[in-house]
Amino acid sequence: MQIRCYHCHKPFAIGKEAVHAALDYVDAENLSHYDAPCPHCRRVNRVSRQALERAAPDWVRNKEQEANTE
């Protein structure tokens, strides 16, 4: 997933494993966005849950979390 930093305007990438981990975190905490730190300026960029889901269409919700919410 390619992201352009809102502060320094440099592009950086988030790998597939990191996107899946971010989706797991966002889903577990029931958040609407994920804070992705820029590796260049180290400031935080907000990435929406929908953008993460578009980047990882093969992501499935963790079965343990589904059992805990029911």
Side-chain angles (χ1 to χ4, degrees):
M1 173 179 200
Q2 290 289 325
I3 298 174
R4 182 172 297 275
C5 180
Y6 295 122
H7 306 285
C8 68
H9 305 290
K10 291 185 180 179
F12 65 97
I14 298 177
K16 185 70 95 174
E17 296 85 20
V19 171
H20 283 238
L23 278 167
D24 289 337
Y25 175 73
V26 167
D27 192 49
E29 298 291 324
N30 197 21
L31 301 173
S32 61
H33 72 277
Y34 174 72
D35 292 332
C38 174
H40 305 288
C41 67
R42 298 184 181 170
R43 297 195 53 193
V44 174
N45 295 276
R46 292 175 65 154
V47 181
S48 71
R49 179 187 199 123
Q50 292 81 17
L52 290 170
E53 289 173 351
R54 281 193 306 266
D58 58 341
W59 175 77
V60 291
R61 192 172 192 199
N62 192 353
K63 300 294 182 194
E64 294 174 5
Q65 291 175 357
E66 286 181 4
N68 290 339
T69 58
E70 294 177 357

